[in-house]
Amino acid sequence: GTATVTLTNTYTQDVGSLEITKTASGNTVPADTAFTITGPDNYSKTVKYSEFIEGKCTLNNLAVGEYTVSEDTATAAVENYTLTVTGNGATAAVTKDATASLTIANTYTQDVGSLKITKTFEGTPADADLSGLSFTINDGTTDTVVTYAAFTDGAYTIANIPVGTTYTVTETNAGTLIANYSLSADSVTEGTATIAKDEEAIIELTNKYTQDVGSLKITKTFEGTP
């Protein structure tokens, strides 16, 4: 007779895992930051940072092969910060029953600008001591007081100010600075400026003085005149 033997081969695709680690310095990663993972057999998957747990996201049951992880920098951006990404587009080899890993690091650098306060005087006497003129500089939360003695060539500069900060500068003793001189009404003793990225905001202040004057009346009387 004829005996029959049936042989069946069952193939199971080798799989492994991929662990994505996300780090950041200078600021936090927005929850909507998107990561796209591509791999063998047209594999493609997008995850958001909100799905990460303690900065890590693990994908399991991935077919063995090379996987690429790309971060969408547009969704990772933070207003008024410059983003630098290290490891974006990195690849990792997933092997059987093992966990491959890669790290994408975001460095956020705060955008800054500077503030320049310029000061000019008109009508002051040649020997006037202007060093005691006082300025209150407010950045929206804190007052800082400086005097004209801290100025160089009529200017005072503050560097590395976060973008978007609004400064108000007010003179506090301009009217009493010079004895016997009055501050004119068209003087500019206060100004406001908002800081922009890589730019120098300028507040120009001008003090105009006029000398105080009065009158002298001479009266003359005579006695015993013929």
Side-chain angles (χ1 to χ4, degrees):
T2 300
T4 301
V5 177
T6 301
L7 304 178
T8 301
N9 287 11
T10 301
Y11 293 93
T12 302
Q13 189 172 33
D14 296 338
V15 296
S17 300
L18 173 64
E19 181 183 75
I20 305 166
T21 300
K22 182 67 198 170
T23 64
S25 61
N27 210 305
T28 56
V29 180
D32 286 339
T33 300
F35 302 83
T36 300
I37 302 94
T38 56
D41 301 324
N42 295 318
Y43 177 89
S44 181
K45 181 180 179 64
T46 298
V47 297
K48 291 188 176 182
Y49 188 65
S50 57
E51 301 175 53
F52 283 53
I53 299 174
E54 295 182 354
K56 296 180 183 294
C57 177
T58 301
L59 304 176
N60 297 311
N61 296 316
L62 297 179
V64 168
E66 291 282 339
Y67 287 81
T68 300
V69 180
S70 300
E71 177 181 338
D72 179 9
T73 55
T75 56
V78 175
E79 185 178 10
N80 295 332
Y81 283 79
T82 297
L83 172 62
T84 302
V85 182
T86 302
N88 197 10
T91 61
V94 173
T95 57
K96 181 181 178 181
D97 300 330
T99 300
S101 62
L102 56 80
T103 299
I104 300 177
N106 284 14
T107 300
Y108 292 93
T109 304
Q110 192 168 41
D111 296 333
V112 296
S114 61
L115 172 67
K116 183 178 182 180
I117 305 167
T118 64
K119 184 70 219 167
T120 56
F121 297 89
E122 296 181 16
T124 56
D127 60 349
D129 182 5
L130 306 175
S131 62
L133 180 61
S134 180
F135 303 80
T136 297
I137 304 171
N138 181 274
D139 63 359
T141 56
T142 305
D143 284 340
T144 301
V145 177
V146 299
T147 64
Y148 190 64
F151 282 54
T152 301
D153 295 329
Y156 183 83
T157 301
I158 305 172
N160 297 319
I161 303 171
V163 165
T165 305
T166 298
Y167 272 78
T168 300
V169 180
T170 306
E171 295 178 26
T172 56
N173 64 339
T176 59
L177 180 66
I178 306 172
N180 300 325
Y181 279 75
S182 295
L183 187 68
S184 299
D186 58 346
S187 296
V188 180
T189 59
E190 181 174 318
T192 300
T194 300
I195 306 305
K197 181 181 179 182
D198 299 330
E199 294 183 6
E200 183 179 68
I202 298 176
I203 294 178
E204 298 178 337
L205 304 177
T206 301
N207 288 12
K208 299 179 180 180
Y209 289 93
T210 56
Q211 190 172 27
D212 297 336
V213 296
S215 300
L216 173 64
K217 181 179 181 180
I218 303 172
T219 62
K220 182 62 186 172
T221 60
F222 296 89
E223 295 180 9
T225 58

